[in-house]
């Protein structure tokens, strides 16, 4: 195998060329990564020239360089945000001590687990989205899908770098395992449930990038507080890319709404059957997709009470969202937090030790952030003069982890019987008919500047290019 010129092939700011051990480890991993990309990356896209953003450094000029590139030749780089001189640990039992440049032996297993769990989500979403290119609603959207995909690939590189650099042989084995698990596979699935769900159509993709990439944002924000400095610095840089993924989701759903509202006004109807006949996605169907993606995603934060969450915080591995901006003692001993449980068929709040409730704290921060974007979607509906409003469901709705698992709760937050659930679930979650209808709209539109009927064009193109720019050149 030819030697890799790291500064060229793998843009980086971690002195790759000077670390022989790491270089050898990555040299062995890279061909396996490319094999994985060929097998599980975007279907049938190997020869396309795609207008992609590549990071070649972390500064403002370098982190977003645009140009046409074939995806297998994408330069997946490794970047850490610049070190903060004299950075101190700012929460947990070690508060006030120097941040760690290396992994403390006693926290090795937990840190490895945190990095592997984060790393596993990155290739998982690429696998979930691999067929979407075949039904892209436009070149612009196709390009955005591929941008998200290559950056999730880069996020995998970021985590594998940490595993190789700081975890020796164990880390190399984890690096291989990250390429072996497969989203939705019976025998060797991805670690977290939402990353084993299918992303079968573009509405699901936009909901996924709005809701589930936002989970990514919150996890990365919590890890950006970590006492393990290389983890903090690499996740900080990942966050700059994550913003685009959520933009793809928010603007995607927004454009679907815009198109639907336009059709509602033209046809003067809110009848889903008539709107479906006109080839647009009715708002109640959008609401059901929203309910699904929201509920599946908030499960990702884990059980509402968790001794692991307490340990990760107290030992300084994982902080809270915006830890540095909070006005408390950053140790949280003796403090409490309210979590939901069920008593005599009713949802009740109970106070539990805050440290054990940190998954719930992060989930609540996430929910506040998600709701804000849904309100921006509602502005589009309001502007069209239509009385319908989208709503995030109650956080107890359709949950599959923690105290709320197994309780049937309506989107309004009312506990319901199994029979009531069965009678209404078709109004709350996407039905097979809904999914078949959405699937029926998915056709491939790839002429520059053309858009599928069910979605409005964006207001502007990528990187100040026109909307009808040739974002993808097909071989
Ligand atoms: Fe990611
Ligand atoms: Fe992402």
């Amino acid at each position: 195998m030819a030697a890799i010129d790291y500064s060229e092939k793998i843009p980086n700011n971690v002195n790759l060329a000077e670390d022989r051990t790491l270089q050898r480890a990555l040299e062995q991993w890279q061909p396996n990564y490319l094999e994985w990309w060929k097998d599980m990356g975007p279907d049938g896209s190997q020869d396309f020239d795609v207008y992609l953003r590549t990071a070649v450094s972390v500064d403002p000029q370098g982190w977003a360089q645009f140009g046409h590139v074939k995806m297998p030749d994408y330069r997946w780089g490794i970047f850490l945000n610049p070190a903060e001189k004299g950075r101190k640990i700012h929460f947990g039992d070690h508060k006030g001590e120097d941040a760690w440049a290396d992994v403390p032996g006693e926290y090795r297993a937990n840190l490895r687990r945190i990095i592997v769990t984060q790393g596993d989500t990155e290739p998982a979403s690429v696998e979930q989205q691999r067929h979407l290119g075949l039904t892209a609603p436009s070149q612009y959207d196709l390009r955005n899908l591929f941008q998200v995909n290559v950056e999730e690939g880069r996020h995998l590189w970021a985590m594998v770098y940490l595993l190789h650099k700081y975890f020796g042989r164990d880390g190399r084995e984890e690096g291989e395992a990250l390429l072996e698990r497969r989203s939705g596979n019976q025998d060797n699935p991805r670690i977290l449930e939402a990353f084993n769900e299918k992303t079968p159509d573009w509405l699901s993709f936009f909901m996924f990038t709005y809701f589930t990439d936002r989970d990514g944002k919150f996890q990365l924000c919590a890890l950006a507080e970590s006492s393990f400095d290389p983890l903090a610095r690499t996740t900080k840089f990942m966050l700059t890319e994550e913003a685009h993924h959520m933009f793809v989701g928010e603007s995607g759903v927004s454009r679907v709404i815009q198109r639907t509202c336009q059709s509602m006004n033209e046809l003067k109807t809110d009848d889903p059957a008539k709107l479906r006949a006109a080839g647009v996605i009715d708002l109640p169907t959008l609401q059901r997709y929203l309910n699904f993606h929201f509920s599946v995603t908030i499960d990702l934060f884990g059980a509402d009470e968790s001794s692991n969450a307490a340990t990760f915080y107290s030992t300084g591995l994982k902080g809270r969202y915006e830890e540095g901006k909070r006005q408390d003692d950053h140790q949280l001993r003796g403090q409490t937090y309210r979590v939901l449980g069920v008593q005599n068929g009713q949802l009740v709040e109970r106070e539990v030790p805050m440290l054990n409730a940190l998954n719930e704290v992060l989930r609540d921060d996430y929910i506040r952030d998600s709701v804000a974007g849904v309100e921006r979607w509602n502005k589009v509906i309001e502007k069209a003069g239509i009385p319908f409003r989208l709503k995030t469901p109650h956080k107890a709705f359709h949950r599959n982890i923690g105290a709320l698992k197994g309780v049937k709760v309506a989107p309004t937050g009312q506990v319901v019987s199994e029979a009531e659930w069965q009678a209404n679930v078709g109004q709350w979650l996407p039905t097979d008919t809904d999914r078949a209808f959405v699937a029926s709209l998915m056709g491939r539109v790839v002429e520059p500047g053309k858009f599928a009927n069910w979605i409005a064009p964006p207001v502007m193109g990528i990187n100040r290019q026109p909307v009808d720019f040739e974002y993808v050149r097909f071989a």
Side-chain angles (χ1 to χ4, degrees):
M1 186 181 46
I4 297 160
D5 177 352
Y6 277 90
S7 54
E8 246 317 290
K9 185 81 184 167
I10 306 178
N12 71 88
N13 66 355
V14 295
N15 272 334
L16 266 194
E18 279 157 39
D19 187 337
R20 295 295 304 274
T21 318
L22 178 61
Q23 188 163 331
R24 266 197 301 274
L26 285 170
E27 269 169 7
Q28 302 215 326
W29 186 78
Q30 195 210 27
N32 298 341
Y33 170 80
L34 286 174
E35 271 306 302
W36 167 80
W37 181 268
K38 235 168 58 197
D39 280 2
M40 296 310 292
D43 204 355
S45 67
Q46 308 288 332
D47 297 325
F48 301 171
D49 276 315
V50 189
Y51 187 68
L52 292 174
R53 173 174 85 180
T54 303
V56 298
S57 68
V58 293
D59 50 59
Q61 299 81 38
W63 84 273
Q65 300 228 328
F66 285 84
H68 283 89
V69 55
K70 289 197 188 358
M71 283 187 285
D73 302 330
Y74 188 77
R75 297 193 300 152
W76 283 284
I78 299 173
F79 296 102
L80 269 56
N81 263 19
E84 222 177 277
K85 237 184 131 207
R87 179 171 177 247
K88 301 285 182 209
I89 296 170
H90 65 155
F91 64 93
D93 299 342
H94 298 290
K95 192 179 146 193
E97 297 171 19
D98 289 338
W100 313 318
D102 214 328
V103 178
E106 66 269 41
Y107 302 142
R108 200 177 162 84
N110 278 344
L111 268 172
R112 186 176 110 188
R113 180 169 161 195
I114 286 171
I115 292 167
V116 166
T117 306
Q118 178 61 41
D120 193 67
T121 66
E122 315 288 357
S125 66
V126 175
E127 293 167 2
Q128 289 171 293
Q129 296 162 14
R130 71 179 304 256
H131 299 302
L132 291 172
L134 306 176
T135 57
S138 74
Q139 262 201 32
Y140 165 91
D141 291 290
L142 185 61
R143 178 261 163 221
N144 285 348
L145 166 72
F146 291 157
Q147 182 71 60
V148 171
N149 292 160
V150 292
E151 282 174 353
E152 301 306 5
R154 204 202 68 74
H155 293 174
L156 173 61
W157 274 86
M159 294 297 108
V160 166
Y161 161 75
L162 293 178
L163 290 167
H164 279 178
K165 168 105 183 165
Y166 298 99
F167 294 85
R169 192 202 163 113
D170 294 349
R172 292 195 292 278
E173 284 172 6
E174 295 285 13
E176 290 304 322
L178 282 164
L179 297 175
E180 283 158 13
R181 284 185 287 274
R182 290 285 181 273
S183 176
N185 188 293
Q186 287 278 311
D187 304 322
N188 196 12
R190 291 295 171 184
I191 296 170
L192 299 170
E193 205 37 56
F195 290 89
N196 287 302
E197 297 281 349
K198 285 199 167 70
T199 309
D201 56 63
W202 278 77
L203 181 56
S204 302
F205 171 66
F206 291 137
M207 291 288 180
F208 185 97
T209 42
Y210 182 78
F211 286 109
T212 311
D213 283 81
R214 186 175 311 273
D215 159 72
K217 166 186 161 180
F218 278 78
Q219 300 298 344
L220 293 175
C221 281
L223 296 178
E225 308 286 344
S226 182
S227 311
F228 178 40
D229 204 44
L231 177 61
R233 289 164 57 200
T234 201
T235 47
K236 268 182 198 147
F237 184 66
M238 289 160 77
L239 280 162
T240 56
E241 294 164 324
E242 208 57 55
H244 176 68
H245 308 181
M246 290 179 290
F247 160 81
V248 168
E250 182 171 337
S251 59
V253 173
S254 183
R255 288 160 52 211
V256 176
I257 292 171
Q258 196 193 329
R259 180 69 190 97
T260 299
C261 290
Q262 184 194 359
S263 203
M264 289 173 81
N265 284 335
E266 277 166 15
L267 301 172
K268 299 192 172 34
T269 185
D270 60 3
D271 179 354
K274 285 185 186 150
L275 292 163
R276 285 182 177 203
V280 297
I281 305 172
D282 51 286
L283 298 176
T285 296
L286 283 170
Q287 177 68 63
R288 288 191 284 278
Y289 269 71
L290 186 162
N291 289 349
F292 176 79
H293 286 272
F294 178 82
S295 57
V296 166
T297 301
I298 62 175
D299 269 347
L300 285 170
F301 291 89
D304 30 27
E305 278 185 276
S306 160
S307 55
N308 273 336
T311 302
F312 291 170
Y313 185 83
S314 295
T315 56
L317 309 188
K318 182 177 175 183
R320 287 170 294 173
Y321 177 61
E322 299 190 324
E323 184 70 45
K325 292 190 188 163
R326 295 181 191 242
Q327 307 292 329
D328 56 28
D329 71 354
H330 303 279
Q331 291 185 317
L332 311 177
R333 295 184 203 110
Q335 298 184 37
T336 59
Y337 196 73
R338 288 167 172 274
V339 301
L340 276 180
V342 186
Q343 226 172 48
N344 306 323
Q346 294 297 315
L347 290 178
V348 285
E349 282 192 326
R350 61 209 160 80
E351 294 218 3
V352 301
M354 171 93 78
L355 281 168
N356 287 338
L358 287 174
N359 287 343
E360 196 65 16
V361 170
L362 194 59
R363 181 166 21 243
D364 287 340
D365 289 328
Y366 168 88
I367 289 173
R368 270 189 287 280
D369 201 54
S370 305
V371 169
V374 174
E375 287 316 313
R376 288 191 288 275
W377 292 339
N378 279 331
K379 287 271 183 311
V380 177
I381 307 178
E382 195 182 337
K383 229 174 122 186
I386 291 165
F388 190 97
R389 294 292 177 266
L390 293 163
K391 209 170 175 331
T392 48
H394 192 278
K395 80 171 169 183
F397 171 74
H398 191 230
R399 292 293 305 283
N400 201 27
I401 198 164
L404 299 169
K405 182 183 172 149
V407 198
K408 295 285 191 262
V409 179
T412 53
Q414 204 194 333
V415 179
V416 297
S417 68
E418 182 65 36
E420 287 170 295
W421 175 268
Q422 289 305 337
N424 290 292
V425 66
Q427 282 153 46
W428 296 339
L429 290 171
T431 62
D432 291 346
T433 318
D434 292 338
R435 291 195 183 277
F437 167 68
V438 172
S440 77
L441 296 179
M442 299 295 124
R444 195 160 186 261
V445 178
V446 289
E447 241 180 282
K450 291 265 183 311
F451 288 81
N453 178 62
W454 54 272
I455 189 165
V459 181
M460 57 182 137
I462 293 296
N463 192 35
R464 300 203 193 90
Q465 299 291 358
V467 170
D468 64 358
F469 182 69
E470 195 175 17
Y471 289 105
V472 183
R473 297 182 192 135
F474 303 96

